[in-house]
Amino acid sequence: MNPNPPHDHRRLGRELDLFDTDPLMGAGLPYWLPDGAVVRHELEEYVREAERAAGYRHVYSPVLGKRELYEISGHWSHYSDDMFPPMKLGAEEVVLRPSLCPHHALIYRSRSHSYRELPLRMAELGGMYRSELSGVLGGLTRVRSIQLNDAHIFCTLEQAVEEARAALDLIRRAYADLGIRAARYRLSLPGEGGKYVADPELWRRATALLEDVLGGGVLQGVPYEAVEGEAAFYGPKIDVQITDPAGRESTLSTVQIDFHQPERFDLHYIGADGAKHRPVMVHRSIIGSIERAVAHLIEEHGGAFPAWLAPVQLVVLPVADAQVEQADEVVRRALARGLRAELRTPGDGTLGARIRAARLVPYQAVIGEREAEGDEAAVRLRDGRRPGAVAVDELLRRISAVAGARGAELWPAA
């Protein structure tokens, strides 16, 4: 197996000016350049919209927490080797969070809840930090600063299986829109020698529910297998496994059913009988970390992102200086429609050189003397097709339709 994928995101990310690192910022702490920030922003907005449509409410929570918070959650005793050291703040110690779960448990606990409110779906695109060893850091796939697409569903025991299934369906639809293929589902169980919560009944109940979610072995056409040693410290999980172009497998998305943290934080809701009941906490991430998702998309598409994700969606190419003014007007009209468009003038090189330089841009609009006179553009598509001369307004309408549809074909019928 080739250890370097055909489209290595580390190389492409730098060549395409998407992201980079600096030793003064530190290893495993990448920064996003403008084009990479566009991809990240569009991906984040896609996730937020998908979650809103699925009934999630979004929150923000701080990246710091008192050490005591993680002692309660169990992270300190089971996960502290992967956390950054505490920082003194007067008489207190605070740490960079390694997970969003404890914060969301506190947000749930801050208000009383009735069974009528459940399931309560809480989502956040939030930062977290993990003290990865320098030897395992690489590109965007292993980093120390992570922007996580995370969510926690607080529900009754009877609702847990259906909520977990709905989360897997949300993952399936997101993968279809992003051009990602799930290789298999992995039921991740505890293994020998790991630091796990010592509560056999908790593990048995959570595992049984996840097995129910996965059904008879194939869900949504994707097989699953149980693997020991891959569970979270507080419970089993379903990992959605993907493979990169080199055939290497990794986890992108997860769904977990958790009885541990609701108990540790003494979470409850008021049932129909007027008594307090313990909710179940379903953890769910559609695309995992933004960093790992973008790394996979770079390699999967070779930098030729779907039109709605592309940093530049339209490049306008005047044939000669006489058409620069008209081409600049086309760019302004595209920007007014919310499209990401750029002008490449003859000063940037010959027409052929400019076309080659823009090979990853979904749409090219060439404007010569005849096109300028008719307010048209000769369209070239990234896949090599040349639909011919099209009125500028029609061209911009079609690009807007594709960008808005997310996942639509490159050049839809009129």
CSV table of all heavy atoms in Angstrom, one decimal, residues 92-125:
chain,number,residue,atom,x,y,z
A,92,GLU,N,-7.4,28.6,41.9
A,92,GLU,CA,-8.0,27.6,41.1
A,92,GLU,C,-7.1,27.1,40.0
A,92,GLU,O,-6.1,27.7,39.6
A,92,GLU,CB,-9.3,28.1,40.4
A,92,GLU,CG,-10.4,28.6,41.4
A,92,GLU,CD,-11.6,29.1,40.7
A,92,GLU,OE1,-11.5,29.5,39.5
A,92,GLU,OE2,-12.6,29.3,41.4
A,93,GLU,N,-7.4,25.9,39.4
A,93,GLU,CA,-6.7,25.4,38.2
A,93,GLU,C,-7.7,25.3,37.1
A,93,GLU,O,-8.8,24.7,37.3
A,93,GLU,CB,-6.1,24.0,38.5
A,93,GLU,CG,-4.9,24.1,39.4
A,93,GLU,CD,-4.3,22.7,39.6
A,93,GLU,OE1,-5.0,21.7,39.5
A,93,GLU,OE2,-3.1,22.7,39.8
A,94,VAL,N,-7.3,25.8,35.9
A,94,VAL,CA,-8.2,25.6,34.8
A,94,VAL,C,-7.4,24.9,33.7
A,94,VAL,O,-6.2,24.9,33.7
A,94,VAL,CB,-8.7,27.0,34.2
A,94,VAL,CG1,-9.6,27.7,35.2
A,94,VAL,CG2,-7.5,27.9,33.8
A,95,VAL,N,-8.2,24.2,32.8
A,95,VAL,CA,-7.5,23.4,31.7
A,95,VAL,C,-8.2,23.7,30.4
A,95,VAL,O,-9.4,24.1,30.4
A,95,VAL,CB,-7.5,21.9,32.0
A,95,VAL,CG1,-6.7,21.6,33.2
A,95,VAL,CG2,-8.9,21.4,32.2
A,96,LEU,N,-7.5,23.5,29.3
A,96,LEU,CA,-8.1,23.6,28.0
A,96,LEU,C,-8.9,22.3,27.8
A,96,LEU,O,-8.4,21.2,28.1
A,96,LEU,CB,-7.0,23.6,26.9
A,96,LEU,CG,-6.3,25.0,26.8
A,96,LEU,CD1,-5.0,24.8,26.0
A,96,LEU,CD2,-7.2,26.0,26.2
A,97,ARG,N,-10.1,22.4,27.4
A,97,ARG,CA,-11.0,21.2,27.4
A,97,ARG,C,-10.6,20.3,26.3
A,97,ARG,O,-10.2,20.6,25.2
A,97,ARG,CB,-12.5,21.7,27.2
A,97,ARG,CG,-12.8,22.3,25.8
A,97,ARG,CD,-14.2,22.6,25.7
A,97,ARG,NE,-14.6,23.3,24.5
A,97,ARG,CZ,-15.7,23.9,24.2
A,97,ARG,NH1,-16.6,23.9,25.1
A,97,ARG,NH2,-15.9,24.5,23.1
A,98,PRO,N,-10.6,19.0,26.6
A,98,PRO,CA,-10.4,17.9,25.6
A,98,PRO,C,-11.7,17.4,25.0
A,98,PRO,O,-11.6,16.6,24.1
A,98,PRO,CB,-9.8,16.8,26.5
A,98,PRO,CG,-10.5,16.9,27.8
A,98,PRO,CD,-10.8,18.4,28.0
A,99,SER,N,-12.8,18.0,25.4
A,99,SER,CA,-14.1,17.5,25.0
A,99,SER,C,-15.2,18.5,25.3
A,99,SER,O,-15.0,19.3,26.2
A,99,SER,CB,-14.4,16.1,25.7
A,99,SER,OG,-15.7,15.8,25.5
A,100,LEU,N,-16.2,18.5,24.5
A,100,LEU,CA,-17.3,19.5,24.8
A,100,LEU,C,-18.4,18.9,25.7
A,100,LEU,O,-19.3,19.6,26.2
A,100,LEU,CB,-18.0,19.9,23.5
A,100,LEU,CG,-17.3,21.0,22.6
A,100,LEU,CD1,-16.0,20.5,22.1
A,100,LEU,CD2,-18.2,21.5,21.5
A,101,CYS,N,-18.4,17.5,25.9
A,101,CYS,CA,-19.5,16.9,26.6
A,101,CYS,C,-19.7,17.5,28.0
A,101,CYS,O,-20.9,17.7,28.3
A,101,CYS,CB,-19.2,15.4,26.7
A,101,CYS,SG,-18.4,14.6,25.4
A,102,PRO,N,-18.7,17.7,28.8
A,102,PRO,CA,-19.0,18.2,30.2
A,102,PRO,C,-19.7,19.6,30.2
A,102,PRO,O,-20.5,19.8,31.0
A,102,PRO,CB,-17.6,18.3,30.8
A,102,PRO,CG,-16.8,17.3,30.1
A,102,PRO,CD,-17.3,17.3,28.7
A,103,HIS,N,-19.3,20.4,29.2
A,103,HIS,CA,-19.9,21.7,29.1
A,103,HIS,C,-21.4,21.6,28.8
A,103,HIS,O,-22.2,22.3,29.3
A,103,HIS,CB,-19.2,22.6,28.1
A,103,HIS,CG,-17.8,22.9,28.5
A,103,HIS,ND1,-17.4,24.2,28.9
A,103,HIS,CD2,-16.6,22.2,28.5
A,103,HIS,CE1,-16.1,24.2,29.2
A,103,HIS,NE2,-15.6,23.0,29.0
A,104,HIS,N,-21.7,20.7,27.8
A,104,HIS,CA,-23.1,20.6,27.4
A,104,HIS,C,-23.9,19.9,28.6
A,104,HIS,O,-25.1,20.3,28.7
A,104,HIS,CB,-23.2,19.7,26.2
A,104,HIS,CG,-22.7,20.5,25.0
A,104,HIS,ND1,-22.9,20.0,23.7
A,104,HIS,CD2,-22.1,21.7,24.8
A,104,HIS,CE1,-22.3,20.8,22.8
A,104,HIS,NE2,-21.9,21.9,23.5
A,105,ALA,N,-23.3,19.1,29.4
A,105,ALA,CA,-24.0,18.5,30.5
A,105,ALA,C,-24.4,19.6,31.5
A,105,ALA,O,-25.5,19.7,32.1
A,105,ALA,CB,-23.2,17.5,31.2
A,106,LEU,N,-23.4,20.6,31.7
A,106,LEU,CA,-23.7,21.7,32.6
A,106,LEU,C,-24.8,22.6,32.0
A,106,LEU,O,-25.6,23.1,32.8
A,106,LEU,CB,-22.4,22.5,32.9
A,106,LEU,CG,-21.3,21.8,33.7
A,106,LEU,CD1,-20.2,22.8,33.9
A,106,LEU,CD2,-21.8,21.3,35.0
A,107,ILE,N,-24.8,22.9,30.7
A,107,ILE,CA,-25.8,23.7,30.1
A,107,ILE,C,-27.2,23.0,30.3
A,107,ILE,O,-28.1,23.7,30.7
A,107,ILE,CB,-25.5,23.9,28.6
A,107,ILE,CG1,-24.2,24.8,28.5
A,107,ILE,CG2,-26.7,24.6,27.9
A,107,ILE,CD1,-23.8,25.0,27.1
A,108,TYR,N,-27.2,21.7,30.1
A,108,TYR,CA,-28.5,21.0,30.3
A,108,TYR,C,-28.9,21.2,31.8
A,108,TYR,O,-30.1,21.4,32.1
A,108,TYR,CB,-28.4,19.5,30.0
A,108,TYR,CG,-29.6,18.7,30.2
A,108,TYR,CD1,-30.6,18.6,29.3
A,108,TYR,CD2,-29.8,18.1,31.5
A,108,TYR,CE1,-31.8,17.9,29.6
A,108,TYR,CE2,-30.9,17.4,31.8
A,108,TYR,CZ,-31.9,17.3,30.8
A,108,TYR,OH,-33.1,16.5,31.1
A,109,ARG,N,-28.0,21.0,32.7
A,109,ARG,CA,-28.3,21.0,34.1
A,109,ARG,C,-28.7,22.4,34.6
A,109,ARG,O,-29.3,22.5,35.7
A,109,ARG,CB,-27.1,20.5,34.9
A,109,ARG,CG,-27.3,20.1,36.3
A,109,ARG,CD,-26.1,19.6,37.0
A,109,ARG,NE,-25.1,20.6,37.3
A,109,ARG,CZ,-24.0,20.3,38.0
A,109,ARG,NH1,-23.7,19.1,38.4
A,109,ARG,NH2,-23.1,21.3,38.2
A,110,SER,N,-28.4,23.4,33.9
A,110,SER,CA,-28.6,24.8,34.4
A,110,SER,C,-30.1,25.1,34.4
A,110,SER,O,-30.5,26.1,35.0
A,110,SER,CB,-27.9,25.8,33.5
A,110,SER,OG,-28.5,25.8,32.2
A,111,ARG,N,-30.9,24.4,33.7
A,111,ARG,CA,-32.4,24.6,33.7
A,111,ARG,C,-33.1,23.3,34.0
A,111,ARG,O,-32.6,22.2,33.7
A,111,ARG,CB,-32.8,25.1,32.3
A,111,ARG,CG,-32.1,26.4,31.8
A,111,ARG,CD,-32.6,27.6,32.6
A,111,ARG,NE,-32.0,28.8,32.1
A,111,ARG,CZ,-30.8,29.4,32.4
A,111,ARG,NH1,-30.0,28.7,33.2
A,111,ARG,NH2,-30.4,30.5,31.8
A,112,SER,N,-34.3,23.4,34.6
A,112,SER,CA,-35.1,22.2,34.8
A,112,SER,C,-35.8,21.8,33.5
A,112,SER,O,-36.0,22.7,32.6
A,112,SER,CB,-36.2,22.5,35.8
A,112,SER,OG,-37.1,23.5,35.4
A,113,HIS,N,-36.0,20.5,33.3
A,113,HIS,CA,-36.6,20.0,32.0
A,113,HIS,C,-37.7,19.0,32.3
A,113,HIS,O,-37.6,18.2,33.2
A,113,HIS,CB,-35.5,19.3,31.2
A,113,HIS,CG,-34.4,20.2,30.9
A,113,HIS,ND1,-34.4,21.1,29.8
A,113,HIS,CD2,-33.1,20.4,31.4
A,113,HIS,CE1,-33.3,21.8,29.8
A,113,HIS,NE2,-32.5,21.3,30.7
A,114,SER,N,-38.7,19.1,31.5
A,114,SER,CA,-39.8,18.2,31.5
A,114,SER,C,-39.7,17.1,30.4
A,114,SER,O,-39.0,17.4,29.4
A,114,SER,CB,-41.2,18.9,31.3
A,114,SER,OG,-42.2,18.1,30.9
A,115,TYR,N,-40.3,16.0,30.6
A,115,TYR,CA,-40.3,15.0,29.6
A,115,TYR,C,-40.8,15.5,28.3
A,115,TYR,O,-40.5,14.9,27.2
A,115,TYR,CB,-41.1,13.7,30.1
A,115,TYR,CG,-42.6,13.9,30.1
A,115,TYR,CD1,-43.4,13.5,29.1
A,115,TYR,CD2,-43.2,14.5,31.2
A,115,TYR,CE1,-44.8,13.6,29.1
A,115,TYR,CE2,-44.6,14.7,31.3
A,115,TYR,CZ,-45.3,14.2,30.2
A,115,TYR,OH,-46.7,14.4,30.2
A,116,ARG,N,-41.7,16.5,28.3
A,116,ARG,CA,-42.3,17.0,27.1
A,116,ARG,C,-41.2,17.7,26.2
A,116,ARG,O,-41.4,17.9,25.0
A,116,ARG,CB,-43.4,18.0,27.4
A,116,ARG,CG,-44.6,17.4,28.1
A,116,ARG,CD,-45.7,18.5,28.3
A,116,ARG,NE,-46.9,17.9,28.9
A,116,ARG,CZ,-47.1,17.9,30.3
A,116,ARG,NH1,-46.1,18.5,31.1
A,116,ARG,NH2,-48.2,17.4,30.8
A,117,GLU,N,-40.1,18.1,26.8
A,117,GLU,CA,-39.0,18.8,26.1
A,117,GLU,C,-38.1,17.8,25.4
A,117,GLU,O,-37.3,18.2,24.5
A,117,GLU,CB,-38.2,19.7,27.0
A,117,GLU,CG,-38.9,20.8,27.7
A,117,GLU,CD,-38.0,21.5,28.7
A,117,GLU,OE1,-36.9,22.0,28.3
A,117,GLU,OE2,-38.3,21.4,29.9
A,118,LEU,N,-38.2,16.6,25.7
A,118,LEU,CA,-37.2,15.6,25.2
A,118,LEU,C,-37.8,14.9,23.9
A,118,LEU,O,-39.0,14.7,23.8
A,118,LEU,CB,-36.9,14.5,26.3
A,118,LEU,CG,-36.5,15.1,27.6
A,118,LEU,CD1,-36.1,13.9,28.6
A,118,LEU,CD2,-35.3,16.0,27.5
A,119,PRO,N,-36.9,14.6,23.0
A,119,PRO,CA,-35.4,14.8,23.1
A,119,PRO,C,-35.0,16.2,22.9
A,119,PRO,O,-35.5,17.0,22.1
A,119,PRO,CB,-34.9,13.9,21.9
A,119,PRO,CG,-36.1,13.9,20.9
A,119,PRO,CD,-37.3,14.0,21.7
A,120,LEU,N,-34.0,16.6,23.7
A,120,LEU,CA,-33.4,18.0,23.6
A,120,LEU,C,-32.1,17.8,22.9
A,120,LEU,O,-31.2,17.2,23.4
A,120,LEU,CB,-33.2,18.6,25.0
A,120,LEU,CG,-32.8,20.1,25.1
A,120,LEU,CD1,-33.3,20.6,26.4
A,120,LEU,CD2,-31.4,20.3,24.9
A,121,ARG,N,-32.0,18.4,21.7
A,121,ARG,CA,-30.8,18.2,20.8
A,121,ARG,C,-29.9,19.5,20.9
A,121,ARG,O,-30.4,20.5,20.4
A,121,ARG,CB,-31.2,17.9,19.4
A,121,ARG,CG,-32.1,16.7,19.3
A,121,ARG,CD,-32.5,16.4,17.9
A,121,ARG,NE,-33.5,15.3,17.8
A,121,ARG,CZ,-34.8,15.5,17.6
A,121,ARG,NH1,-35.3,16.8,17.5
A,121,ARG,NH2,-35.7,14.5,17.6
A,122,MET,N,-28.7,19.4,21.4
A,122,MET,CA,-27.9,20.5,21.6
A,122,MET,C,-26.6,20.4,20.8
A,122,MET,O,-25.9,19.3,20.9
A,122,MET,CB,-27.5,20.6,23.1
A,122,MET,CG,-26.7,21.8,23.5
A,122,MET,SD,-26.1,21.7,25.3
A,122,MET,CE,-27.7,21.6,26.1
A,123,ALA,N,-26.3,21.4,19.9
A,123,ALA,CA,-25.2,21.2,19.0
A,123,ALA,C,-24.2,22.4,19.2
A,123,ALA,O,-24.6,23.5,19.6
A,123,ALA,CB,-25.6,21.1,17.6
A,124,GLU,N,-23.0,22.2,18.8
A,124,GLU,CA,-22.0,23.3,18.9
A,124,GLU,C,-20.8,22.9,17.9
A,124,GLU,O,-20.4,21.8,17.9
A,124,GLU,CB,-21.4,23.4,20.3
A,124,GLU,CG,-20.4,24.5,20.4
A,124,GLU,CD,-19.9,24.8,21.8
A,124,GLU,OE1,-20.4,24.1,22.7
A,124,GLU,OE2,-19.1,25.7,22.0
A,125,LEU,N,-20.3,23.9,17.2
A,125,LEU,CA,-19.1,23.8,16.5
A,125,LEU,C,-18.1,24.5,17.4
A,125,LEU,O,-17.9,25.7,17.4
A,125,LEU,CB,-19.1,24.5,15.1
A,125,LEU,CG,-19.7,23.6,14.0
A,125,LEU,CD1,-20.1,24.5,12.8
A,125,LEU,CD2,-18.6,22.7,13.5
